[in-house]
Amino acid sequence: MFKIGIMTDSLRIDTKSAIKTAASLGADGFQMYATNGENSPENLTKEKRRELLDFTKSNGLVFSAICGDLGQGFGNPEKNPALIEKSKRILELAKDLECDIVTTHIGVVPADPSHDRYKIMQEACFTLSRFADDMGSHFAVETGPEPAKILKEFLDSLSSHGVAVNFDPANLVMVHGEDPVEAVHTLGDYIVHTHAKDGIKLSDCNPEILYAVIEHETLAQEAPSFEEVPLGEGKVNFPTYLQALKDVGYDGFLTIERECGDNPLADITKAVEFLKKMI
């Protein structure tokens, strides 16, 4: 049976308050950012990790995943060594918190496997996949930057599930206008975590500009190409989407992520209620 998670950063309050709030809303777990600040690997000492884990358990929750998105992808061979090492430390942190999943963005996978950036990303992800395999863990790539078919082919080339998928249906809808049901069946073997999010595509966009793979000075001045909306108000058909997840054997977390809106607590409360009715 599916479990409900909440992205603590979406609540826009401190970590412990967010954990208490997630518990009070009836969630089963939560996802926490661990890229910088007090929850980064360099600042969360062994003692603090034990304290955080104990606090989590005392509230009846578990970590659904750790967010390790460093915001740069893995398309720059000069930056990759440091980014890979930081990612490894985040995976070790997750393991100390009894969590086997670190979600991340790797950039935009080019459609052409002969593209130079494709090979650079492939090499970085190969390294990360083997490190995760050795720990029995996963780096989970968030869907959205590229169509599901291209991501599937890229993951197949790694011959590993150490790099897997964090399935975000809204991203596929908002960026590509892609049917999440079809995408679930494409990526099913790789899905280890999901984000519960909804949205609407307003116009076509260039994912490489959107995800800052290439610079575009006028992006902020242009009309938005999509809109994130509360669950059930967008183009993600949750009944058929959740059925597709069941069909491919996924029964893990549906972790609510709300990246905008003036009242995140109200939106997340409604999202929990919405998902409980769905499942």
Side-chain angles (χ1 to χ4, degrees):
M1 183 175 177
F2 296 124
K3 296 177 283 290
I4 295 176
I6 293 174
M7 177 77 81
T8 54
D9 292 73
S10 293
L11 289 164
R12 303 176 206 166
I13 53 180
D14 67 275
T15 301
K16 287 189 174 180
S17 295
I19 292 171
K20 288 182 178 180
T21 300
S24 71
L25 293 177
D28 302 294
F30 64 95
Q31 182 178 8
M32 177 187 81
Y33 267 81
T35 52
N36 53 54
E38 64 178 2
N39 293 326
S40 64
E42 58 269 25
N43 292 327
L44 204 60
T45 63
K46 289 287 186 182
E47 182 179 350
K48 290 180 178 178
R49 295 178 192 192
R50 286 193 296 271
E51 179 187 337
L52 179 57
L53 182 59
D54 289 344
F55 185 81
T56 296
K57 290 181 175 180
S58 71
N59 280 276
L61 301 180
V62 299
F63 288 87
S64 70
I66 297 295
C67 184
D69 181 10
L70 298 173
Q72 301 182 61
F74 294 98
N76 187 327
E78 295 180 359
K79 293 182 177 180
N80 277 355
L83 294 172
I84 289 170
E85 287 307 306
K86 178 68 176 281
S87 296
K88 289 178 177 179
R89 302 294 82 79
I90 294 173
L91 194 71
E92 292 169 343
L93 166 62
K95 204 72 172 179
D96 285 343
L97 297 173
E98 298 183 1
C99 178
D100 297 331
I101 299 169
V102 171
T103 67
T104 189
H105 278 275
I106 61 172
V108 179
V109 178
D112 182 2
S114 66
H115 193 291
D116 286 344
R117 193 174 74 248
Y118 191 103
K119 297 175 182 177
I120 293 166
M121 294 171 67
Q122 190 178 46
E123 181 178 338
C125 288
F126 181 88
T127 299
L128 290 172
S129 70
R130 270 48 187 182
F131 186 83
D133 278 338
D134 288 344
M135 297 180 66
S137 297
H138 304 280
F139 284 104
V141 179
E142 186 161 336
T143 54
E146 61 284 309
K149 182 176 182 294
I150 292 174
L151 179 57
K152 167 72 160 52
E153 291 170 352
F154 178 82
L155 295 174
D156 285 345
S157 76
L158 303 176
S159 300
S160 163
H161 278 65
V163 171
V165 167
N166 173 44
F167 197 97
D168 187 314
N171 287 352
L172 290 169
V173 165
M174 295 188 296
V175 179
H176 299 285
E178 189 167 3
D179 178 10
V181 171
E182 183 177 338
V184 164
H185 286 285
T186 298
L187 293 165
D189 289 344
Y190 290 104
I191 300 172
V192 296
H193 188 260
T194 76
H195 278 165
K197 197 166 74 181
D198 206 349
I200 301 167
K201 180 180 179 181
L202 302 176
S203 63
D204 291 337
C205 67
N206 183 339
E208 296 199 346
I209 295 175
L210 181 64
Y211 288 97
V213 174
I214 57 178
E215 295 182 2
H216 193 267
E217 295 179 356
T218 63
L219 180 63
Q221 301 172 356
E222 295 180 352
S225 58
F226 60 83
E227 180 183 1
E228 182 195 327
V229 298
L231 295 194
E233 297 182 17
K235 293 297 184 180
V236 177
N237 186 324
F238 274 89
T240 58
Y241 165 61
L242 296 180
Q243 183 60 52
L245 288 174
K246 291 179 182 178
D247 290 344
V248 299
Y250 179 79
D251 62 354
F253 271 94
L254 309 169
T255 297
I256 298 162
E257 181 182 32
R258 182 68 169 137
E259 297 186 282
C260 58
D262 296 329
N263 193 337
L265 178 58
D267 289 344
I268 291 169
T269 300
K270 290 179 182 177
V272 171
E273 294 170 352
F274 176 84
L275 289 177
K276 285 187 174 181
K277 290 179 181 177
M278 288 290 105
I279 61 178

